[in-house]
Amino acid sequence: MIRCTTVEHYQSLYPRLAAPIGFVPTLGGLHEGHLALIRRARAENATVVVSVYLNPTQFNNPDDLATYPADLDEDIRLLENEKVDVLWMPSHEEMYPEGLKTRTDWWPGRLAEVLEGQYRPGHFEGVITVVRRLFDIIRPHRAYFGMKDYQQLKIVQRLAADLYPGLEIVPVPTVRDSDGLALSSRNRRLSPAGRRTAAHLPRTLHSARRRLLQGDPVSAVLEEARRDLQRHGIEVEYFELVDAETLEPVRRILPGNYLLCTAVYVEGVRLIDNVPVAIK
Ligand code: AMP
């Protein structure tokens, strides 16, 4: 695996990288969820590039950034195991030559302003800025994004359609632990008791989904889900049913594709998750 830390070095490698190039961007703190993206990229491309870059501009909460689990040696060991060709692990100076500023000259509107956009001001400005910079440097043919961060996936799909013709965005299903909790680097910050509490999140999503499929009224289902989570000591930021394309909240459902999505705090750790709801 070639470790690459400068744009100059990557540009010198690029002519020798066999096409197609599959790219997996990460913040580090790698787990089986990241590895699912990498394995998919490995299966579908001649070259696999993975980035490990903890992007400061997408963290609206400085404590979250300061406590974000990072273990570069362990990440490198995992990436070598997966036969990754190039690890892109740049400095802030390489990624932000003009300082840690975000750019909004491309903006998807409401899609980045609802849900996470509403509760994490500045987050998607940072995500869009870093993803554009990564795509510009790496120049991949395919890029892999997890459905756990569904809103991010939708925004990146629209970004690619607008600015990166020929780049295919590949969605990868959420990888879960045996009790259903979506894998996340932040899960490592939970105590064993907090970890057990967090398992109520996927259970609540699934029971809400079941009730919606049965035809129970949306607002009653959502309110009960929020109450259930709170009863288990989980602080709910949002728990919504949204249109799967626009991500706008819906109150009454017709046949179509929806998503139940939620952000909560357990022991001060922010967790997000979602499940699709297809109404026939
Ligand atoms: P992160 O390092 O958290 O920014 O995640 C890097 C990529 O891995 C993003 O596309 C995430 O959506 C994806 N990812 C994170 N956790 C999971 C998971 N449990 N299952 C599938 N993909 C994931």
Side-chain angles (χ1 to χ4, degrees), residues 231-267:
R231 228 188 350 257
H232 286 106
I234 297 178
E235 188 193 325
V236 180
E237 196 163 69
Y238 63 80
F239 191 105
E240 289 287 351
L241 181 73
V242 301
D243 180 282
E245 284 311 309
T246 64
L247 304 188
E248 295 286 353
V250 292
R251 292 283 162 264
R252 289 180 50 207
I253 40 185
L254 303 164
N257 292 319
Y258 303 90
L259 200 74
L260 272 168
C261 48
T262 180
V264 304
Y265 285 90
V266 177
E267 295 180 330

Short mmCIF file of all heavy atoms in Angstrom, two decimals, residues 231-267:
data_model
loop_
_atom_site.label_atom_id
_atom_site.label_comp_id
_atom_site.label_asym_id
_atom_site.label_seq_id
_atom_site.Cartn_x
_atom_site.Cartn_y
_atom_site.Cartn_z
N ARG A 231 -37.74 7.27 27.48
CA ARG A 231 -37.93 6.39 28.64
C ARG A 231 -36.69 5.55 28.92
O ARG A 231 -36.40 5.20 30.04
CB ARG A 231 -39.14 5.48 28.40
CG ARG A 231 -40.08 5.46 29.56
CD ARG A 231 -41.22 4.47 29.52
NE ARG A 231 -41.44 3.77 28.28
CZ ARG A 231 -42.42 4.05 27.41
NH1 ARG A 231 -43.23 5.06 27.64
NH2 ARG A 231 -42.58 3.32 26.33
N HIS A 232 -35.95 5.22 27.88
CA HIS A 232 -34.72 4.43 28.05
C HIS A 232 -33.50 5.30 28.30
O HIS A 232 -32.36 4.83 28.24
CB HIS A 232 -34.50 3.55 26.82
CG HIS A 232 -35.42 2.38 26.76
ND1 HIS A 232 -36.49 2.31 25.89
CD2 HIS A 232 -35.46 1.25 27.49
CE1 HIS A 232 -37.14 1.18 26.09
NE2 HIS A 232 -36.54 0.52 27.05
N GLY A 233 -33.73 6.59 28.56
CA GLY A 233 -32.61 7.48 28.87
C GLY A 233 -31.87 8.00 27.65
O GLY A 233 -30.73 8.44 27.74
N ILE A 234 -32.54 7.94 26.49
CA ILE A 234 -31.93 8.43 25.26
C ILE A 234 -32.50 9.80 24.94
O ILE A 234 -33.72 9.98 24.95
CB ILE A 234 -32.22 7.45 24.09
CG1 ILE A 234 -31.56 6.09 24.39
CG2 ILE A 234 -31.73 8.02 22.76
CD1 ILE A 234 -31.82 5.03 23.34
N GLU A 235 -31.61 10.76 24.72
CA GLU A 235 -32.07 12.13 24.40
C GLU A 235 -32.27 12.22 22.89
O GLU A 235 -31.34 11.97 22.12
CB GLU A 235 -30.98 13.11 24.87
CG GLU A 235 -31.39 14.56 24.79
CD GLU A 235 -30.17 15.47 24.96
OE1 GLU A 235 -29.26 15.11 25.74
OE2 GLU A 235 -30.14 16.52 24.29
N VAL A 236 -33.51 12.56 22.50
CA VAL A 236 -33.85 12.54 21.06
C VAL A 236 -33.68 13.94 20.46
O VAL A 236 -34.28 14.90 20.95
CB VAL A 236 -35.32 12.08 20.85
CG1 VAL A 236 -35.66 12.05 19.36
CG2 VAL A 236 -35.53 10.71 21.48
N GLU A 237 -32.86 14.06 19.43
CA GLU A 237 -32.76 15.34 18.72
C GLU A 237 -33.84 15.40 17.66
O GLU A 237 -34.60 16.35 17.59
CB GLU A 237 -31.37 15.48 18.11
CG GLU A 237 -31.06 16.89 17.69
CD GLU A 237 -29.58 17.10 17.49
OE1 GLU A 237 -29.03 16.54 16.51
OE2 GLU A 237 -28.96 17.81 18.30
N TYR A 238 -33.93 14.39 16.81
CA TYR A 238 -35.08 14.26 15.92
C TYR A 238 -35.36 12.79 15.65
O TYR A 238 -34.47 11.94 15.75
CB TYR A 238 -34.88 15.03 14.60
CG TYR A 238 -33.75 14.57 13.72
CD1 TYR A 238 -33.88 13.46 12.88
CD2 TYR A 238 -32.53 15.26 13.70
CE1 TYR A 238 -32.83 13.04 12.06
CE2 TYR A 238 -31.48 14.83 12.88
CZ TYR A 238 -31.64 13.73 12.07
OH TYR A 238 -30.61 13.30 11.28
N PHE A 239 -36.61 12.50 15.38
CA PHE A 239 -37.04 11.16 14.97
C PHE A 239 -38.16 11.43 13.99
O PHE A 239 -39.26 11.84 14.37
CB PHE A 239 -37.54 10.35 16.18
CG PHE A 239 -37.76 8.88 15.88
CD1 PHE A 239 -36.85 7.92 16.34
CD2 PHE A 239 -38.85 8.45 15.13
CE1 PHE A 239 -37.04 6.56 16.05
CE2 PHE A 239 -39.05 7.11 14.84
CZ PHE A 239 -38.14 6.16 15.31
N GLU A 240 -37.87 11.31 12.69
CA GLU A 240 -38.80 11.79 11.67
C GLU A 240 -39.05 10.74 10.60
O GLU A 240 -38.18 9.89 10.33
CB GLU A 240 -38.22 13.03 10.97
CG GLU A 240 -38.18 14.29 11.81
CD GLU A 240 -39.54 14.92 12.04
OE1 GLU A 240 -40.54 14.48 11.41
OE2 GLU A 240 -39.62 15.84 12.86
N LEU A 241 -40.20 10.87 9.97
CA LEU A 241 -40.46 10.14 8.73
C LEU A 241 -40.29 11.16 7.61
O LEU A 241 -40.91 12.23 7.65
CB LEU A 241 -41.88 9.57 8.71
CG LEU A 241 -42.21 8.78 7.45
CD1 LEU A 241 -41.48 7.43 7.43
CD2 LEU A 241 -43.71 8.54 7.33
N VAL A 242 -39.45 10.82 6.63
CA VAL A 242 -39.19 11.79 5.55
C VAL A 242 -39.35 11.12 4.20
O VAL A 242 -39.24 9.89 4.07
CB VAL A 242 -37.77 12.42 5.66
CG1 VAL A 242 -37.59 13.13 6.99
CG2 VAL A 242 -36.67 11.38 5.45
N ASP A 243 -39.57 11.95 3.20
CA ASP A 243 -39.59 11.48 1.81
C ASP A 243 -38.18 11.03 1.45
O ASP A 243 -37.21 11.73 1.71
CB ASP A 243 -40.03 12.66 0.92
CG ASP A 243 -40.09 12.26 -0.54
OD1 ASP A 243 -39.02 12.19 -1.19
OD2 ASP A 243 -41.20 12.02 -1.03
N ALA A 244 -38.05 9.84 0.83
CA ALA A 244 -36.72 9.27 0.58
C ALA A 244 -35.91 10.06 -0.44
O ALA A 244 -34.69 9.93 -0.50
CB ALA A 244 -36.84 7.82 0.13
N GLU A 245 -36.55 10.91 -1.23
CA GLU A 245 -35.81 11.71 -2.22
C GLU A 245 -35.51 13.13 -1.71
O GLU A 245 -34.38 13.57 -1.78
CB GLU A 245 -36.59 11.80 -3.55
CG GLU A 245 -36.52 10.53 -4.37
CD GLU A 245 -35.08 10.00 -4.54
OE1 GLU A 245 -34.19 10.78 -4.94
OE2 GLU A 245 -34.84 8.81 -4.25
N THR A 246 -36.55 13.80 -1.20
CA THR A 246 -36.35 15.21 -0.80
C THR A 246 -35.90 15.34 0.65
O THR A 246 -35.39 16.39 1.04
CB THR A 246 -37.67 16.00 -0.93
OG1 THR A 246 -38.62 15.44 0.00
CG2 THR A 246 -38.24 15.91 -2.34
N LEU A 247 -36.13 14.29 1.47
CA LEU A 247 -35.85 14.29 2.91
C LEU A 247 -36.72 15.28 3.68
O LEU A 247 -36.41 15.62 4.82
CB LEU A 247 -34.36 14.52 3.20
CG LEU A 247 -33.40 13.54 2.53
CD1 LEU A 247 -31.97 13.74 3.03
CD2 LEU A 247 -33.81 12.10 2.76
N GLU A 248 -37.80 15.75 3.05
CA GLU A 248 -38.75 16.61 3.76
C GLU A 248 -39.65 15.73 4.64
O GLU A 248 -40.11 14.66 4.19
CB GLU A 248 -39.64 17.37 2.77
CG GLU A 248 -38.90 18.36 1.89
CD GLU A 248 -38.47 19.63 2.62
OE1 GLU A 248 -38.86 19.84 3.79
OE2 GLU A 248 -37.74 20.42 1.99
N PRO A 249 -39.92 16.18 5.89
CA PRO A 249 -40.80 15.41 6.77
C PRO A 249 -42.17 15.20 6.15
O PRO A 249 -42.69 16.10 5.46
CB PRO A 249 -40.91 16.30 8.01
CG PRO A 249 -39.70 17.16 7.98
CD PRO A 249 -39.36 17.36 6.53
N VAL A 250 -42.76 14.04 6.38
CA VAL A 250 -44.12 13.78 5.91
C VAL A 250 -45.00 13.41 7.10
O VAL A 250 -44.53 12.82 8.06
CB VAL A 250 -44.19 12.66 4.84
CG1 VAL A 250 -43.52 13.08 3.55
CG2 VAL A 250 -43.57 11.37 5.34
N ARG A 251 -46.26 13.81 7.03
CA ARG A 251 -47.19 13.56 8.13
C ARG A 251 -48.21 12.49 7.76
O ARG A 251 -48.79 11.86 8.62
CB ARG A 251 -47.91 14.86 8.50
CG ARG A 251 -47.02 15.90 9.12
CD ARG A 251 -46.73 15.54 10.60
NE ARG A 251 -45.57 16.27 11.10
CZ ARG A 251 -44.34 15.77 11.14
NH1 ARG A 251 -44.09 14.54 10.74
NH2 ARG A 251 -43.34 16.48 11.59
N ARG A 252 -48.48 12.35 6.45
CA ARG A 252 -49.43 11.33 6.00
C ARG A 252 -48.81 10.60 4.83
O ARG A 252 -48.19 11.21 3.97
CB ARG A 252 -50.75 11.98 5.57
CG ARG A 252 -51.51 12.51 6.78
CD ARG A 252 -52.82 13.16 6.40
NE ARG A 252 -53.64 12.34 5.52
CZ ARG A 252 -54.51 12.87 4.66
NH1 ARG A 252 -54.63 14.17 4.57
NH2 ARG A 252 -55.25 12.08 3.90
N ILE A 253 -48.97 9.28 4.82
CA ILE A 253 -48.28 8.56 3.75
C ILE A 253 -49.22 7.99 2.70
O ILE A 253 -50.28 7.47 2.97
CB ILE A 253 -47.34 7.45 4.28
CG1 ILE A 253 -47.95 6.70 5.45
CG2 ILE A 253 -46.02 8.02 4.64
CD1 ILE A 253 -46.99 5.70 6.05
N LEU A 254 -48.73 8.14 1.47
CA LEU A 254 -49.33 7.54 0.28
C LEU A 254 -48.34 6.48 -0.16
O LEU A 254 -47.22 6.43 0.35
CB LEU A 254 -49.47 8.62 -0.80
CG LEU A 254 -50.27 9.84 -0.38
CD1 LEU A 254 -50.04 10.99 -1.34
CD2 LEU A 254 -51.75 9.46 -0.30
N PRO A 255 -48.69 5.64 -1.14
CA PRO A 255 -47.70 4.69 -1.62
C PRO A 255 -46.44 5.43 -2.08
O PRO A 255 -46.52 6.48 -2.71
CB PRO A 255 -48.41 4.02 -2.81
CG PRO A 255 -49.86 4.15 -2.48
CD PRO A 255 -50.00 5.47 -1.79
N GLY A 256 -45.27 4.91 -1.71
CA GLY A 256 -44.01 5.58 -2.09
C GLY A 256 -42.87 5.15 -1.18
O GLY A 256 -43.05 4.29 -0.31
N ASN A 257 -41.73 5.80 -1.38
CA ASN A 257 -40.54 5.46 -0.60
C ASN A 257 -40.24 6.53 0.44
O ASN A 257 -40.12 7.72 0.11
CB ASN A 257 -39.33 5.28 -1.52
CG ASN A 257 -39.50 4.04 -2.38
OD1 ASN A 257 -39.97 3.00 -1.90
ND2 ASN A 257 -39.15 4.16 -3.64
N TYR A 258 -40.09 6.07 1.67
CA TYR A 258 -39.83 6.96 2.79
C TYR A 258 -38.65 6.43 3.58
O TYR A 258 -38.14 5.34 3.33
CB TYR A 258 -41.07 7.03 3.70
CG TYR A 258 -42.30 7.48 2.96
CD1 TYR A 258 -43.15 6.55 2.35
CD2 TYR A 258 -42.60 8.84 2.84
CE1 TYR A 258 -44.27 6.97 1.64
CE2 TYR A 258 -43.72 9.25 2.14
CZ TYR A 258 -44.56 8.32 1.54
OH TYR A 258 -45.65 8.73 0.84
N LEU A 259 -38.28 7.26 4.58
CA LEU A 259 -37.17 6.88 5.44
C LEU A 259 -37.53 7.32 6.85
O LEU A 259 -37.98 8.46 7.04
CB LEU A 259 -35.94 7.65 4.97
CG LEU A 259 -34.58 7.12 5.36
CD1 LEU A 259 -34.26 5.88 4.55
CD2 LEU A 259 -33.53 8.20 5.11
N LEU A 260 -37.34 6.42 7.82
CA LEU A 260 -37.40 6.84 9.21
C LEU A 260 -35.99 7.18 9.59
O LEU A 260 -35.08 6.34 9.43
CB LEU A 260 -37.90 5.69 10.09
CG LEU A 260 -39.40 5.55 10.27
CD1 LEU A 260 -39.70 4.19 10.92
CD2 LEU A 260 -39.95 6.69 11.14
N CYS A 261 -35.77 8.40 10.09
CA CYS A 261 -34.39 8.73 10.44
C CYS A 261 -34.35 9.46 11.76
O CYS A 261 -35.30 10.15 12.14
CB CYS A 261 -33.70 9.49 9.32
SG CYS A 261 -34.65 10.83 8.72
N THR A 262 -33.24 9.27 12.47
CA THR A 262 -33.16 9.78 13.83
C THR A 262 -31.73 10.17 14.19
O THR A 262 -30.77 9.62 13.65
CB THR A 262 -33.70 8.71 14.82
OG1 THR A 262 -33.62 9.21 16.15
CG2 THR A 262 -32.95 7.40 14.73
N ALA A 263 -31.65 11.16 15.08
CA ALA A 263 -30.37 11.53 15.72
C ALA A 263 -30.65 11.61 17.20
O ALA A 263 -31.65 12.22 17.62
CB ALA A 263 -29.88 12.87 15.20
N VAL A 264 -29.79 10.98 18.00
CA VAL A 264 -29.99 10.95 19.45
C VAL A 264 -28.65 11.14 20.16
O VAL A 264 -27.59 11.05 19.54
CB VAL A 264 -30.61 9.61 19.91
CG1 VAL A 264 -31.92 9.32 19.19
CG2 VAL A 264 -29.63 8.45 19.74
N TYR A 265 -28.76 11.38 21.45
CA TYR A 265 -27.56 11.40 22.30
C TYR A 265 -27.66 10.30 23.34
O TYR A 265 -28.69 10.17 24.02
CB TYR A 265 -27.42 12.74 23.01
CG TYR A 265 -26.93 13.85 22.10
CD1 TYR A 265 -27.84 14.64 21.40
CD2 TYR A 265 -25.57 14.09 21.95
CE1 TYR A 265 -27.39 15.65 20.56
CE2 TYR A 265 -25.12 15.11 21.11
CZ TYR A 265 -26.03 15.88 20.42
OH TYR A 265 -25.59 16.87 19.59
N VAL A 266 -26.61 9.51 23.46
CA VAL A 266 -26.47 8.52 24.54
C VAL A 266 -25.14 8.83 25.23
O VAL A 266 -24.10 8.86 24.56
CB VAL A 266 -26.45 7.07 24.00
CG1 VAL A 266 -26.23 6.08 25.14
CG2 VAL A 266 -27.72 6.75 23.23
N GLU A 267 -25.18 9.10 26.52
CA GLU A 267 -23.97 9.48 27.28
C GLU A 267 -23.22 10.63 26.58
O GLU A 267 -21.99 10.64 26.54
CB GLU A 267 -23.03 8.28 27.45
CG GLU A 267 -23.64 7.17 28.29
CD GLU A 267 -22.72 5.97 28.48
OE1 GLU A 267 -21.90 5.68 27.59
OE2 GLU A 267 -22.83 5.30 29.52
#
